[in-house]
Amino acid sequence: MGALQSSPGQPEYIDLAEKTGFSFEQIGVLHKRFKQLSHNETTLRRDHFNEIPDLACNPIRAQIIEAFFDRRNYRQNGEGTVDEIGFEEFLVVMSHFRPPSLNMTDEQRESVRKEKLRFLFNMHDTDNDGTITLEEYRHVVEELLSRSGALGKETAKSIADAAMLEVASISMGHMEPDEFYEGITFEHFLKLLAGFEIESKMNIRFLNMDTTTLCK
Amino acid sequence: PWLLVLLILLCWSVTDTKRVNETWGNPARATQDDPHHQTNSTGHKKAFPVLSFHYEEVKKPLEISLWILLALLMKLGFHIIPRVSNVVPESCLLIFVGLLVGGIIKAIGGEAPGLDAKLFFYYLLPPIILDAGYFLPIRPFTENLGTILVFAVVGTLWNAFFIGGMMYGVLDLLSCLLFGSIISAVDPVAVLAVFEEIHINELLHILVFGESLLNDAVTVVLYHLFKEFAHAGTVTVADAFLGVVCFFVVSLGGIMVGAIYGILGAFTSRFTAHTRVIEPLFVFLYSYMAYLSAEVFHLSGIMSLIACGVVMRPYVEANISHKSYTTIKYFLKMWSSVSETLIFIFLGVSTVAGPHAWNWTFVIVTVILCLVSRVLGVIGLTYIINKFRIVKLTKKDQFIVAYGGLRGAIAFSLGFLLTDSDMKNLFLTAIITVIFFTVFVQGMTIRPLVELLAVKKKKESKGSINEEIHTQFLDHLLTGIEDICGHYGHHHWKDKLNRFNKAYVKRWLIRGERSTEPQLISFYNKMEMKQAMMLVESGSAAKLPTIVSSVSMQNIQTKGPARRRAIPSISKSREEEIRKILRANLQKTRQRLRSYSRHDLLIDPFEDVSEVRFRKQRVEMERRMSHYLTVPAKSQETPPVRKVCFESEHQIYTYDDSESPRGSAQASRPHPSSPDAVSLLDESPQRPSQRGALRTRGDAEVRAKAPDDKEEQDQLKLSRCLSDPGPKKDEEEDGSFLS
């Protein structure tokens, strides 16, 4: 990206703003943060993320970092992972966490919901096959409980099994005894979290003012 | 008809007291003279009173009980006649009943009891607030705390000054401001009563309700402030400044007092493992003490009570037994329900009883001003708030918030506490009119309006474990993203608080190893417990609510590679050996599968009774089953029974690896035609757990009774199970099958 100054109104910013829906100030702030994280290089790598101290005690740190390098989240229908990302990809991933605006139609809200749920789905479905299998779900629960230490794998397994059973019964209703539930597809995932109101929950506040200097 | 009788009795008792009071002097003297008489004139004795009437001694408790009984019967009556209670909210009906009772009492000629302020503030209000505070949904409350505070503090201030200022023409400024401060506060009791029945979505409910709770601090400060100044006559800037300081002291002080008592209560509950019976009392008493202590210093009692409940709850619930939890829940609901009913009835009675000074202009202007100021306040504040909210409030939301600003008994009691006599009556009349207007008009119309505007209703939460997993997941995800973005937002601080809580506080306040239990696991435990208890209570007759339909563990367990080797042609004896080995493995798999069963409870340290009962039932079931199935084994001519049972054993463990030689046989089997086999196949594939055991018991009986039909099915089954052994094999297996 060359020597990009952080002043708004740059042609690249206009392009990005259109693509992701952020305002110029927000893009400016995020760009500053990007440069801070990458030590003024043009791309971020995984170890840059690993350096963030606050992230160290997060139980699902690995999945979060993976999500940034997952091409499915770049809205270009890509697949697979990359090893380093530029500012545009960083911004696109961040835009998944923008709140829906006030004057959206129901359809737009629905698409925002789907997008956010797709992001979550991609985080769970680590092998890119389009379904969340029992193993993958177990892994999710294990990671969530990983900080608890003593209670270990058995409980995580039972919880994941119970959760899977629930999904299966919600999506499939009745199953023959010799049928096998392959895994959670995206449609089932949508159905599962239908009442969850994710468009109101999965948002963070993107500031217009620069407070990155206050934090590490 | 008996309701009327009760009413009459109540009124008569109230009026009687008046008459009795006047003649109290005489009977007292008379009874005092009697013993004199008796000692003096021992020769002439009065007949011993077999049945005497000593009403005065039990008057007070009797009256109280009669009132409460009346209130409850009324409540009962409304629910038996559903048509009326669908249109009119309960609070309206109760006020109406109060009016009736007051009217009757007045007609009889007695003096109706007014709503005594002390009774209200110390006995009737605390249970309602404690119930609300203890069961406050924390997550939506903290997420919307900013909005709630703005509405509560700024909104109430705006209301008070607007109303007081507009009334300036009628009375002097300070009295007007005093009046404004009394009438401006949204009342939690009325809001609870009305909003409970309309089931709107969580956000709106918590906004209005939270506002009604938190504006108590503002009300207290303003009320006392203006009361002092109404006597003094003038107010200076210094006083205004002191008022602001007072507000902070009152609110923060109240919260601190509540939090201290909450922590004390949590700490006490850590040691109550051996005295389970008194656990609920600790909760109630500590909370009540918090309320009273706050009232001693004129701090906000309501906020203290809420803080106590909120702080205490997570730790107490981890420590107390399940029964104590249920007790607390039901006692709180019961007390708050009774209090609410009594409050509304008394409101009605006081309306009839109280001295009134009806001033058309004052009253009408008050009502209109209340509405106008509320609407203006909400719209203005929402405009400002929406700049800071992530999820904005829509016009519909604003309308409901504005419309839900109901006034209630707190305003009335505060007015009652005023000492100035002529103003007081004027104020009281206006306050009652406003209360009536808001409760009747707004309360009745809010339900059709909610339907009309298609406001989102409360979603029925089924306690889904998936949603809980994702709630936790989202929490961590959002915290992580915030950290990556580099600003310390809402999630970051919440995460920090949680970690602090886990590291230090929980260790002090929660007993035993539960202190380190993560939230997901405790949620899961609670859910399993609930389902297990449902299962035990429903017994074998009723069907379990199909949270899990017919999907069972085997549908999701990985099959592993379906090994379909050709069945080798080996000698009979080798076959038996292989079968023995397979059977032995089956036993082991059965044990393993059982640990994955949903109906196996994790060992809960608190409340094992249901689990014990559960296991006992199961063991009993299995013993009975084994009895049924081993009996026919003695007589060798019922091979089908055992064959059948062998099949059922088959069925359950279809997907076990060791069963793979039979895999081909199973897979090629068409859907069974014989009814008996159908019943078997239908039932046994149910998860290899309690349910299976319960069902197959009935099944076993059927099988034992009808061995004859099996003869013709013999051939069918034989053809299906290629490697089905002879009956002699199964005798000892049956026993071990069920051991």
Side-chain angles (χ1 to χ4, degrees), chain B residues 269-296:
Chain B
S269 74
R270 189 181 164 177
F271 302 106
T272 57
H274 301 288
T275 47
R276 293 277 184 203
V277 190
I278 58 175
E279 268 172 347
L281 273 179
F282 279 119
V283 171
F284 301 142
L285 285 174
Y286 273 113
S287 315
Y288 196 46
M289 290 284 291
Y291 181 75
L292 292 176
S293 314
E295 287 290 326
V296 164

Side-chain angles (χ1 to χ4, degrees), chain B residues 639-640 643 709-719:
Chain B
K643 211 170 297 179
D709 316 348
K710 311 285 172 62
E711 308 294 345
E712 62 265 22
Q713 297 162 22
D714 225 5
Q715 296 308 313
L716 212 56
K717 289 195 188 93
L718 262 180
S719 63

Side-chain angles (χ1 to χ4, degrees), chain A residues 33 57-58 94 99 102 124 137 163 165-167 169 173-181 195 205 215, chain B residues 388 390 392 459 464-466 470 476 478 483-487 499 524 547 549-550 555-557 598 655:
Chain A
R33 180 65 177 170
C57 37
N58 197 317
M94 283 298 190
L102 188 56
H124 294 325
Y137 212 38
L165 259 173
E166 206 179 85
V167 181
S169 60
H174 172 80
M175 283 181 76
E176 294 302 319
D178 45 351
E179 271 182 74
F180 176 62
Y181 185 63
R205 194 188 299 282
C215 324
Chain B
F388 295 100
I390 301 184
K392 319 275 182 199
K459 62 170 169 70
S464 152
I465 183 127
N466 275 297
H470 280 100
H476 290 298
L478 292 174
D483 289 332
I484 294 179
C485 273
H487 77 264
R499 264 185 282 142
Y524 177 64
I547 302 172
S549 45
S550 69
N555 290 111
I556 64 175
Q557 296 286 344
R598 299 194 73 218
Y655 296 110

Side-chain angles (χ1 to χ4, degrees), chain B residues 613-647:
Chain B
R613 226 180 348 143
F614 199 61
R615 290 196 193 264
K616 260 198 246 182
Q617 242 188 10
R618 201 147 132 197
V619 167
E620 222 186 63
M621 224 57 85
E622 288 178 341
R623 232 182 290 132
R624 258 181 267 172
M625 236 167 67
S626 66
H627 173 76
Y628 274 116
L629 293 172
T630 46
V631 164
K634 306 244 178 68
S635 58
Q636 286 271 348
E637 57 254 4
T638 51
V641 178
R642 262 158 287 127
K643 211 170 297 179
V644 157
C645 123
F646 180 72
E647 263 188 35

Side-chain angles (χ1 to χ4, degrees), chain B residues 559 561 563 565 578-579 581-590 592 650 653-663:
Chain B
K559 256 190 286 201
R563 284 177 260 141
R565 9 184 198 116
I578 293 179
R579 209 151 287 119
I581 298 174
L582 287 175
R583 201 63 51 83
N585 278 340
L586 259 181
Q587 291 310 306
K588 290 205 209 110
T589 12
R590 187 156 192 268
R592 252 199 299 135
H650 249 314
Y653 309 114
T654 315
Y655 296 110
D656 186 29
D657 294 334
S658 54
E659 290 289 287
S660 45
R662 310 191 194 281

